[in-house]
Amino acid sequence: MEWKKNEVYETEIIDYTTEGAGVGKINGMAVFVPSTAIGDKADVKLLKVAKNYAYGKIETLHTPSPHRQTVDCPIFDQCGGCTFRHIDYASELAFKQKRVRDTLTRIGGLAADLVQPIVGAAQCDGYRNKAQLPITMDKNGQAVVGFFAPRSHRVIPLTHCHLQMPVFNEALRVFLSWANRYHVMPYDETTHSGILRHLYLRYAEKTDQLMVCVVANAHQLRKDKQLVEMLQQALPCLTTVVLNVNTEKTNVITGKTCHTLYGQGYITDELCGLHFRLSPLSFYQINRTQAEVLYTLAAECADLQPHETLLDLYCGTGTIGLTMAEKVARLIGVEIIPQAVEDARRNAAENHITKAEFICADASAAAAQLQTRGIRPDCVVLDPPRKGCDSALITAVAKMAPQRVVYVSCDPATLARDIRVFADHGYTVKKAVPVDMFPRTTHVECVVLMTKCE
Ligand code: SAH
């Protein structure tokens, strides 16, 4: 059949892509339609046509899917932060479950029954404990904050975001009224002029502590005392206010230098019973409640014994290993970013954990080095970035011959690829548990337990 751009065709949505767009068929060809739901019957206008597939948008929705729900955000279509506000949570979880199951069975060669039911979140909104909002000037000369539209630097202004901690909405309102009252200018990236680049907010849920960080194209902030006063008056949980200096022409949000304007320059949160210090530049899990669920699952898989050695590779600020430390004799963490390693060491000290050591190195290099030093961990936890592990790392881990490998993954595709490499080294998957850390988005985490075949 001939496809024609801008022509309208009738179709039914039967599946989703990994990016969460609906998939329909027109005479056997796939058409991808964002913001649709399985079961939608619609006339779709083709916007981009390739040989075997096309992209389209809904022209007329004849029969809405029973999985649809009312979209409760006015900027859902423009902002790109959420993919799934238009379908119910059960359907979103079904999408994530299927995505993990299909990927692990097709690419990873896993038996489907090893993939357990996804662990959903109790709360789909208000879970993000960190927000980095670009600041810009609107047509009326007022400072606004928002999100960048997908693949662009156009700021979509917002006054309220459902995914964020509710306290952030009040913080951004106060911040903007300060900026507009005292005419502190938003930064303009085309002319590299103006001051205010990003409003960066962090909230420690368990301890009710708020950090407001202003990322500025300046070494000092005019009217900073007034900002602190206004925030203090409106927000009883305000704990610290920080100025982060970023005078570079760059897309990177934060600069290297921070000046504390109020409080101690950091907040402290509690995770799995331990305390973690969060400064503007330190890494912390975005969804604290689900991070506890994820770490608890990882600990169950690890099944640690008091005499054992645990190796936590890609350890970040040490959170996974430290929350398991009381169960083992020795903990070794490996992380490539020096500042994260410093944070991990301090986190260990502040929680009075003396059996932990942290190595600042590439995970593969460190694993190979530990192996030559004769260190034989009983269990290895891996939590790599999206690109997964390289095969040199998997070889080095296999040489250390741990009984159990717990792989915490944020990308099912690279996880599936890595499971195959582990299989070549004699490791079999015992179970895979998908976990929803980021409701309303397409992201899905997964905890996998592999054991060494005897
Ligand atoms: N386990 C931590 C952090 C996981 S994020 C937590 O749960 O909080 C992945 C981490 O891997 C990041 O901190 C990143 O800096 C680190 N990393 C990336 N490449 C690495 C490499 N080649 N070697 C060691 N660490 C690496």
Side-chain angles (χ1 to χ4, degrees), residues 283 285 295 314-316 319-320 335-337 361-363 383 385:
F283 176 85
Q285 292 278 346
Y295 288 5
Y314 306 92
C315 72
T319 41
I320 296 187
E335 162 62 45
I336 203 160
I337 294 182
D362 166 66
D383 184 11

Side-chain angles (χ1 to χ4, degrees), residues 23 219 227 239 331 338 402 413:
V23 182
H219 294 269
L227 172 63
T239 309
L331 164 66

Side-chain angles (χ1 to χ4, degrees), residues 153 197-198 215 244 246 248-255:
H153 266 205
R197 292 177 76 128
H198 275 81
V215 183
N244 176 268
N246 186 355
E248 304 287 312
K249 285 184 186 167
T250 171
N251 283 340
V252 178
I253 295 177
T254 46

Side-chain angles (χ1 to χ4, degrees), residues 107-162:
I107 308 175
L110 223 66
D113 61 353
L114 291 176
V115 183
Q116 299 202 346
I118 186 165
V119 182
Q123 234 185 303
C124 291
D125 280 328
Y127 65 79
R128 283 193 64 97
N129 60 22
K130 172 177 172 177
Q132 291 180 315
L133 304 160
I135 306 163
T136 190
M137 186 115 83
D138 71 3
K139 305 191 279 296
N140 309 318
Q142 295 287 297
V144 290
V145 299
F147 286 120
F148 289 128
R151 296 173 295 281
S152 100
H153 266 205
R154 192 164 44 88
V155 175
I156 309 292
L158 70 87
T159 53
H160 181 100
C161 168
H162 290 294

Side-chain angles (χ1 to χ4, degrees), residues 390-426:
D390 54 31
S391 57
L393 172 100
I394 299 175
T395 307
V397 168
K399 273 196 184 152
M400 290 189 283
Q403 276 306 317
R404 302 173 305 282
V405 174
V406 180
Y407 192 137
V408 179
S409 154
C410 54
D411 185 334
T414 54
L415 170 66
R417 178 200 67 199
D418 292 348
I419 282 174
R420 273 203 183 272
V421 184
F422 268 108
D424 294 340
H425 287 283

